Amino acid sequence: MSENTKNITLPVTGMTCANCVSTVERNLNKLDGVSYASVNLASERASVVYDPAEIDQSDILDRIRRAGYDVALGEADLVLQRLGDDNDARRLERSLRERDGVVEAHVNFTTERARVRYIPTVVSQADLRTTVREAGFEALEVEGELEDVERTARQDEINRQRRLLITGLIFTVPLFLFSMARDFGLLPAAIGHAPWATWLMFALATPVQFYVGWQYYDGAYKALRNGSANMDVLIAMGSSAAYFYSIPVLLGLIDGHVYFETSAVIITLIALGKYLEAGAKGRTSEAIKKLMALRARTARVVRAGEELDVPIEEVVVGDIVVVRPGEKIPVDGVVVEGRTTIDESMLTGESMPVEKGPGDKLFGATMNKQGRVKFEALNVGKDTALAQIIRLVEEAQGSKAPIQRLADQVSAVFVPIVIGIALVTFLGWYFLAPAPAQDVSAFTRALINMVAVLVIACPCAMGLATPTAVMVGTGLGARSGILFKSSEALERAGSIDTVVLDKTGTITRGQPAVTDIVLQGWVGDENSLLSLAASAEKGSEHPLGEAIVAAAGERGLSLSEPDRFEAISGRGIAATVAGHEVLIGTPRLLDDYEISLDGTAEIANRLQSEAKTAVTISIDGGVAGVLGISDTVKEGSKEAVQALQDLGLEVAMITGDNIQTAEAIADQVGIRHEDEHGNRLVRAEVLPGDKANVVKQMQSEGRIVAMVGDGINDAPALAQADVGIAIGTGTDVAIAAAPITLLSGDLRGVERAIILSRGTLRTIRQNLFWALIYNVLLIPSAAFGLLNPMLAAGAMAFSSIFVVTNSLRLRGLQLGR
C-alpha cells in the first residue's frame, strides 16, 4: 500500500440491518488496494480508505453493487458555453471524468450540454462547474439545481415503503377480518366454509406475499449469495413457511387450516415498521442538514469597481466582498472596511453578537446584524470553517464507537443462531411435545411456533442502537459549538473523572490587561497618569506595554507621540512625552535612575500576591504610581469550574507560571490546591513539553483524564490524555490536535460536552439493553409457543422504531446552564 491513499465516503442504499453493514464491509475489505472500510447503518454511508494506484472508485462501486446494494448518485445537466467544436467537447468530457467523484460524463457539442453522474459525498455541482471553468468553458447555473441527492434517495425509500404499506393494508385488512370472523363463527356457514372462501384468502394473500414481500426475498437472496444471513432471510423464511404450507391445504392435498392471513399480516406489519423506521432514521441526520442549510447561496463582490451578485462557488480567494445589514457572511475572510456586530451563534453556540472591525476575521454562514462591511475572502468552498465543521461531523457520524463492537459481534452470528433455534423449536414441538388438540396437527403446531421464532428475532435494533444515538449526539454537539471528531471521543468523554485545565488561554484570556492603577505621588487623576504612560509605550512591542496602550484605548484617552523612546532590556522603558520625563518598568529601573520608591514596594507585593505584575511609573524624577497588569480570568471560567465540580469531576490546573501566581488564579476560579489524598491539583512552573508527563502521572494515580488546552501548544498533553479538548475560535477546527474542539472558546463548553457525552452513552446503553433483552426474552417465549406469529411480527417491527425514537429523544437534552 502506497502512502498516497485516498478516503472516499459513499451514500449506500438498500441496507436494512447490521448484517447488511457487515456484508458491505466484508466485500469492500476484500478488494485489493482497500486498507480500511467502515459502514454506518444509521447514516447509510461507507467510508473507504484505498490506494488509487491499485484500485479506482468504479471498482469500489461495482463491488457494492455485486454485494446486492447500490450507491446514491446525483445527476447534473450542465448548460455549456464556449464550446468551439467536437474536440472541445471531448476534452471537457475527459476533464470531467478525471474529477474525483464523477462516475459518468457525456458532453454533447450539438446541444451544448453535459450530462454528469456523480457521487454527492465526494463532489458537488459547484465543483463540476469549477472543473468546466478550469477547462476553459462556462457552465450556466440552472435554477433549482441544488439537489440533496441523499435526501432525495431517502425520501424515495420512504415513498416506496409507504406505497408497499398501503398495498399491504388494502389486501391484508380484509383478509385478516375475514379469517377472524370465519374462525370465530361470525360468518354464516354458507360463506365461511364455502369452497371459494380459502381461494379468496389465497387471492388476497398472494399480492402481499410476492409484491409487498418481494423486497425481503430479494434481500435474502443477495445476503445468501454473499455468504451471510440477515433479517430478510428470517422474514422470507417465516412468511413463506406459513404461505406455502397453506397451498397444499388449499388444494386438498393435506388436511388442516390455511395460514394465509398469518403470512400477510407478518409482511404488512414489518412493512409498517420499515416505513416508520425510514422516516425516523431520516430525522437523525437533521442537525447536519441544518448546518448545510446555513450556507449563503450568493455573494456580492467588487470587480472592476462594480458590485456584482455572483454564485457562492464563484467567489475566489482575494475577492473583496460586500455584506449589508441582515445578510449572511458568504465565505471566511478579514474585514478591510467598516464596523459591525456579527451573530456567530450558528457556529459557536454563543448567543451574544461579536463586534467586528478592520483586521477582524469573519466566518461564512454567520449573520451580519448592523453595519455594512467589506472584507477580503480568505477561505472559500471546502476550506471555510463551516465546510470543515460539516466534514468533521460527518466523519464522526461515520465512525464506530467502541461500545458498538458488542453489537457487531452479536449481529455477525445472530441470524444463523436464530435459524438454529427455529429448527430446534420445530423438531421439539413435532417429536417431543404432547399431542395437540384434534383441530391442529403436530406438524402445524410445530410450524407455527417455528415461524414465530423466525419473525420475532430482530437484528436491526442492535445494528441501529449505537449509530443513531451517535448521529443525534454529534449533530446536537455541532449546533452547540462542540465538535466531536470521532464517536470514540463522544463515548470516552462521558467516563472521565478528572479535568485538567491549561491556565493561559483556557482559564485566562491569554492577553495581559491593566487591572489596577494605584496613584503614589501623582497630583493628577488616573486618566492623566495612564495617558502619559500609554503615550510613552506607543513605540513598545512588549506585551505589558501593549496592555497599557490598550487600557488607554478602552477609556478613550488621547495619546501623544513620544519625543524620545528607549527600551531598556529587562528593566522597562524611558521616554519623553509632552515635556515630561517618563520611566516605566521594574523597581530596579527606578533604582538605576536613583529615584526613591517611596513605599511602592508594599503596593507591588500586594499586587504580586494577587497574581499580577507590578509596573512602577516615574514622572519627572519622582514616583507617580504603580500599575497592576495580569492575564485576567475569562468570563465564565469560575462558573465552568463550579459546574464541572457539580458533575462530580476533580478539576486540576497546569501552568508555566510560578506557584504564587498559579495558586492565586486557582483561588479566583475555585480550584483546590490538593485533593483529599494530598496529590497536587495545581501544577506550576511546568514547561510546555512536560505537560504530557503531568497528565501521565495523574493517569498513573488511576484517574481518567481530560486535558483542556489551546489545541496547538498543548498537543502532546492533549494526545496523552484519555480525552483531549481543544478550545478554539472556528479557525482551529482544521488544526486542533484534540478529539473534541470547543468552537466558542468558552470554558463552559467543557461541561456541555461531558453532559452530551453522558447523555449519548446513556442512550446507547438503553438501546443496546432493549435490543438484547427483547431478543433474550421473546425468542424463548416464541420457542415455547407463547407467541402468535402475527404478534411476533408486530413486536419485531416496532423494536427498531423504539431504538431510533429513543435516540431522537437526545435532541431535547439540556446541555448545562
Side-chain angles (χ1 to χ4, degrees):
M1 185 73 64
S2 73
E3 295 181 359
N4 298 321
T5 58
K6 285 187 177 181
N7 190 333
I8 188 172
T9 300
L10 303 171
V12 181
T13 60
M15 297 189 297
T16 58
C17 66
N19 291 85
C20 301
V21 169
S22 60
T23 298
V24 176
E25 281 184 354
R26 187 172 63 252
N27 275 273
L28 289 174
N29 282 313
K30 284 180 181 178
L31 286 171
D32 292 334
V34 170
S35 58
Y36 173 79
S38 176
V39 180
N40 186 294
L41 177 60
S43 63
E44 297 178 289
R45 288 187 172 191
S47 180
V48 185
V49 178
Y50 69 100
D51 184 351
E54 297 186 41
I55 191 173
D56 60 30
Q57 64 186 22
S58 62
D59 298 321
I60 297 173
L61 266 61
D62 289 344
R63 190 66 179 221
I64 291 173
R65 288 166 178 154
R66 283 212 310 274
Y69 306 92
D70 207 346
V71 175
L73 297 178
E75 291 192 1
D77 193 3
L78 304 176
V79 179
L80 304 174
Q81 289 184 333
R82 301 183 185 172
L83 286 178
D85 54 25
D86 202 40
N87 288 326
D88 282 350
R90 282 194 293 271
R91 179 164 62 85
L92 177 58
E93 190 172 286
R94 186 166 59 249
S95 296
L96 287 168
R97 287 176 177 173
E98 289 172 354
R99 176 90 196 207
D100 282 346
V102 171
V103 178
E104 293 177 15
H106 300 285
V107 178
N108 190 305
F109 169 65
T110 305
T111 61
E112 294 188 306
R113 281 181 176 266
R115 190 75 177 171
V116 185
R117 299 186 75 211
Y118 62 96
I119 304 169
T121 49
V122 179
V123 67
S124 66
Q125 292 200 20
D127 297 327
L128 297 178
R129 285 198 299 276
T130 300
T131 301
V132 172
R133 192 162 54 249
E134 289 172 349
F137 311 102
E138 287 294 327
L140 301 181
E141 183 173 2
V142 180
E143 188 69 27
E145 71 174 14
L146 292 171
E147 179 190 17
D148 185 337
V149 176
E150 289 182 90
R151 176 175 287 181
T152 301
R154 188 172 282 118
Q155 188 59 48
D156 288 345
E157 174 64 14
I158 292 172
N159 294 339
R160 187 176 75 91
Q161 292 296 342
R162 182 193 295 121
R163 185 172 65 252
L164 293 173
L165 173 61
I166 291 172
T167 304
L169 289 172
I170 289 172
F171 288 98
T172 301
V173 171
L175 170 60
F176 177 75
L177 293 176
F178 181 82
S179 175
M180 291 299 101
R182 180 183 184 223
D183 291 346
F184 287 106
L186 302 178
L187 294 175
I191 296 176
H193 297 286
W196 53 264
T198 51
W199 283 98
L200 173 63
M201 295 173 71
F202 166 76
L204 291 171
T206 299
V208 178
Q209 187 71 29
F210 297 109
Y211 176 69
V212 181
W214 184 253
Q215 58 182 325
Y216 308 120
Y217 284 110
D218 185 52
Y221 165 72
K222 290 173 179 175
L224 294 172
R225 187 183 66 185
N226 284 286
S228 66
N230 62 2
M231 183 197 74
D232 294 332
V233 173
L234 299 179
I235 298 169
M237 288 180 67
S239 61
S240 296
Y243 179 86
F244 287 108
Y245 165 77
S246 303
I247 297 292
V249 176
L250 172 69
L251 298 175
L253 302 177
I254 59 173
D255 294 330
H257 184 84
V258 292
Y259 289 94
F260 288 123
E261 80 286 356
T262 300
S263 66
V265 169
I266 287 172
I267 288 175
T268 302
L269 281 176
I270 295 200
L272 172 62
K274 284 276 189 186
Y275 169 65
L276 296 176
E277 179 189 318
K281 276 168 63 180
R283 291 198 297 276
T284 62
S285 59
E286 276 183 359
I288 200 72
K289 298 300 182 188
K290 288 178 180 176
L291 281 176
M292 291 178 175
L294 292 174
R295 292 178 289 201
R297 294 282 185 246
T298 61
R300 186 175 296 106
V301 300
V302 179
R303 290 179 180 166
E306 293 186 14
E307 294 183 9
L308 304 172
D309 287 338
V310 301
I312 190 73
E313 57 273 5
E314 292 184 13
V315 178
V316 297
V317 174
D319 268 344
I320 299 300
V321 184
V322 180
V323 185
R324 296 169 182 164
E327 294 180 341
K328 284 183 179 179
I329 305 297
V331 296
D332 296 357
V334 62
V335 178
V336 294
E337 182 183 309
R339 307 193 74 87
T340 186
T341 56
I342 301 292
D343 179 4
E344 296 183 342
S345 59
M346 59 284 299
L347 290 187
T348 66
E350 295 297 317
S351 59
M352 290 296 293
V354 182
E355 292 188 2
K356 301 285 185 177
D360 291 332
K361 290 183 178 179
L362 300 178
F363 301 108
T366 56
M367 182 66 71
N368 183 25
K369 301 292 285 185
Q370 292 182 345
R372 180 180 186 271
V373 292
K374 288 184 179 181
F375 71 92
E376 181 183 350
L378 294 183
N379 298 310
V380 301
K382 294 181 179 178
D383 295 326
T384 64
L386 178 65
Q388 293 176 51
I389 289 169
I390 292 171
R391 178 179 57 80
L392 288 172
V393 173
E394 288 178 337
E395 288 176 0
Q397 291 180 342
S399 63
K400 288 193 177 184
I403 198 171
Q404 192 174 343
R405 291 173 191 148
L406 171 64
D408 288 347
Q409 290 168 353
V410 172
S411 297
V413 297
F414 182 83
V415 174
I417 289 175
V418 170
I419 293 173
I421 293 173
L423 290 174
V424 170
T425 298
F426 177 84
L427 296 174
W429 280 100
Y430 188 74
F431 291 108
L432 303 178
Q438 290 184 350
D439 58 335
V440 179
S441 68
F443 179 84
T444 301
R445 182 181 62 181
L447 180 71
I448 291 305
N449 290 334
M450 181 188 75
V451 170
V453 170
L454 290 171
V455 298
I456 194 65
C458 185
C460 287
M462 282 185 289
L464 291 168
T466 300
T468 52
V470 166
M471 286 190 70
V472 177
T474 51
L476 178 58
R479 290 212 320 270
S480 306
I482 305 165
L483 282 188
F484 293 92
K485 294 191 177 179
S486 69
S487 52
E488 181 178 1
L490 180 63
E491 178 183 328
R492 289 178 71 89
S495 60
I496 62 172
D497 55 36
T498 303
V499 178
V500 179
L501 306 175
D502 178 53
K503 181 185 80 71
T504 304
T506 302
I507 296 176
T508 63
R509 297 184 184 278
Q511 296 176 335
V514 175
T515 57
D516 299 78
I517 302 176
V518 183
L519 303 180
Q520 185 75 10
W522 179 247
V523 293
D525 59 10
E526 286 185 1
N527 284 349
S528 61
L529 178 62
L530 181 59
S531 177
L532 274 175
S535 297
E537 292 280 9
K538 278 187 75 174
S540 173
E541 296 180 355
H542 194 281
L544 297 182
E546 292 174 348
I548 294 171
V549 174
E554 288 172 3
R555 296 191 179 203
L557 303 180
S558 60
L559 304 183
S560 305
E561 287 294 331
D563 299 318
R564 179 182 64 87
F565 176 85
E566 180 186 359
I568 304 168
S569 179
R571 299 282 197 273
I573 65 132
T576 302
V577 179
H580 295 284
E581 294 298 326
V582 181
L583 295 174
I584 305 173
T586 65
R588 192 176 299 176
L589 175 66
L590 272 63
D591 283 341
D592 291 344
Y593 281 80
E594 298 180 351
I595 296 173
S596 173
L597 295 176
D598 285 340
T600 56
E602 197 173 299
I603 299 170
N605 290 336
R606 175 180 64 80
L607 292 173
Q608 287 170 356
S609 70
E610 297 171 358
K612 299 170 183 175
T613 299
V615 176
T616 308
I617 303 174
S618 167
I619 307 292
D620 296 329
V623 172
V626 181
L627 301 181
I629 301 177
S630 73
D631 183 6
T632 55
V633 171
K634 281 183 181 178
E635 181 183 351
S637 290
K638 184 175 182 179
E639 293 83 354
V641 170
Q642 182 62 54
L644 292 172
Q645 291 168 341
D646 290 345
L647 289 175
L649 302 170
E650 193 73 83
V651 181
M653 184 180 78
I654 298 180
T655 179
D657 288 340
N658 61 63
I659 188 65
Q660 187 181 25
T661 301
E663 291 185 345
I665 293 292
D667 291 338
Q668 286 184 45
V669 297
I671 297 176
R672 296 190 299 165
H673 297 182
E674 295 180 349
D675 66 12
E676 57 273 12
H677 303 296
N679 297 313
R680 292 289 300 174
L681 295 176
V682 177
R683 306 293 181 96
E685 300 177 10
V686 180
L687 296 174
D690 294 332
K691 291 179 181 179
N693 293 331
V694 173
V695 172
K696 193 172 184 179
Q697 181 184 342
M698 289 186 171
Q699 290 170 323
S700 69
E701 297 168 3
R703 300 179 186 273
I704 303 174
V705 179
M707 173 70 194
V708 185
D710 62 15
I712 305 168
N713 298 330
D714 300 318
L718 292 169
Q720 175 63 44
D722 297 285
V723 178
I725 303 176
I727 289 191
T729 54
T731 52
D732 295 325
V733 174
I735 57 177
I740 302 174
T741 300
L742 308 179
L743 298 181
S744 68
D746 188 343
L747 194 55
R748 285 170 289 196
V750 178
E751 176 206 11
R752 293 195 286 267
I754 292 170
I755 290 174
L756 177 56
S757 174
R758 289 181 176 180
T760 304
L761 200 54
R762 182 169 59 249
T763 300
I764 290 172
R765 286 171 176 157
Q766 290 169 352
N767 288 348
L768 287 174
F769 174 80
W770 165 260
L772 291 171
I773 204 69
Y774 163 87
N775 286 293
V776 167
L777 293 180
L778 294 188
I779 290 177
S781 299
F784 285 104
L786 302 177
L787 277 178
N788 179 281
M790 290 185 285
L791 294 177
M796 185 270 201
F798 284 94
S799 63
S800 296
I801 298 167
F802 171 87
V803 166
V804 178
T805 305
N806 191 47
S807 295
L808 289 172
R809 286 175 56 244
L810 260 177
R811 295 185 298 180
L813 184 66
Q814 295 298 314
L815 301 181
R817 306 168 188 184

